[in-house]
Amino acid sequence: LKTIWGLGGLQTKPQETKFYPNMATTLDTSSIRLLNPVKHGSTARRVCCTAVKASNSRFLRKHILELAPYTPIVPFDVLSERLGRPTEEIIKLDANENPYGPPPEVGDALSSLQFPHIYPDPESRALRRMLADDCGVPMDNLLVGCGADELIDLLMRVVLDPNDVIINTPPTFGMYAFDCAVNGGRCIDVPRLDSPSFAIDIEGIERAVQENNPKIVFLTSPNNPDGSLLPSSALDRLLNLPVLVVLDEAYIEFSNPGTSRIGDVLKHDNLIVLRTFSKRAALAGLRIGYGAFPKGVIEYLWRAKQPYNVSVAAELAACAALSNPGYLKTVKDLLIKERERLFGVLLECSFLTPYPSAANFILCRVEGRDAFELKEILAAEGIMVRHYMSPASISGCIRVSVGKPEHTDALRQVLSKI
């Protein structure tokens, strides 16, 4: 069992780290299994890098043997058992889930599901027709996946040859680097500028493209974990580069109207835009997302995708959610309103510095105390938040999802006692 000690992030082969111009190690270790708890004042964190190699590991691909495991959030029932609290007493503000749940039509549709014994439509035609009306992109340019995560992996499987390069802009969503490693690619990190802007380093990306000849640049707007928006001028400039530009708009519904660039996929043969039903429609548990792709790319994604990748239940739920746009707008407005109130509550706290966000979460720097300890204090009170150890630009930060007003009230009460 190989372990690494230290506070820095973990870099795994075949990923690669370069400096454009200054950066810290970038893998978000909150997605890696911790082998021991970190106590207040401790300077060591033990991270599992590789498993004990069994004799049959010789059959496995070499880069997979060196892959750091990705550990997602703890399931709700397991979390309940660990905290000794029923699920209804746990306030989950750690995964950017929508606390209001989906429109009532979703439950009605699922309860009357007629043909679960029949394979789903491999082309998700009903949903793609509704999405075409919803986002203004022809259904021929739309592909549905088992969450946007599947589409990220599918794109890399289609585009990347071994050791091909992607450009990543940490701190950002960890699946870009993870899927790159799974697919045998190399991940070149061009860190974002320091807080509070967390803006992308456009010149750094341009240099990285010139020096490394990458296949894909991944961008997120609003960005996870800081909630910053990508300016249209920045995207326009990067679209002039000889590279595929993937714009992840998982949280775009919580920003100002007109900020989405999904319609521009029809104008640029190197632009891809990803979306999800997890946040807007509260369907995270059913795993369904979609993407808008240029014609020359989507043809080959259709060839490579699993034929029945989207379940009957997931497509039915997504269609039902889209059938009630009034509910979706009401919930969106409630979350945006509560985001402003939550920001004020966090700003009142003497040891927290919140950053402005256009998403359904707020990143805060913890000042004068240990962020992990704060996370544990909140967890002991049944309030779950996300905390970060790396990269350096967000080390010592926590991320708080926007919940209902009563969730903000409970958080304020606990923070006031610390």
Side-chain angles (χ1 to χ4, degrees), residues 14-29:
Q15 297 179 49
E16 180 170 321
T17 299
K18 290 192 177 182
F19 292 75
Y20 295 96
N22 295 306
M23 66 169 292
T25 318
T26 57
L27 188 63
D28 179 4
T29 54

Side-chain angles (χ1 to χ4, degrees), residues 249-270:
E249 291 188 341
Y251 301 95
I252 197 66
E253 288 85 6
F254 303 104
S255 62
N256 294 327
T259 53
S260 173
R261 297 295 299 270
I262 194 166
D264 290 312
V265 169
L266 304 177
K267 305 174 185 177
H268 300 276
D269 65 1
N270 64 332

Side-chain angles (χ1 to χ4, degrees), residues 12-13 56 62 71 112 152 171 183 257 363 400:
T12 59
K13 295 179 181 179
N56 55 1
K62 291 181 180 180
T71 303
S112 59
I152 295 169
N183 286 284
L363 184 72
V400 185

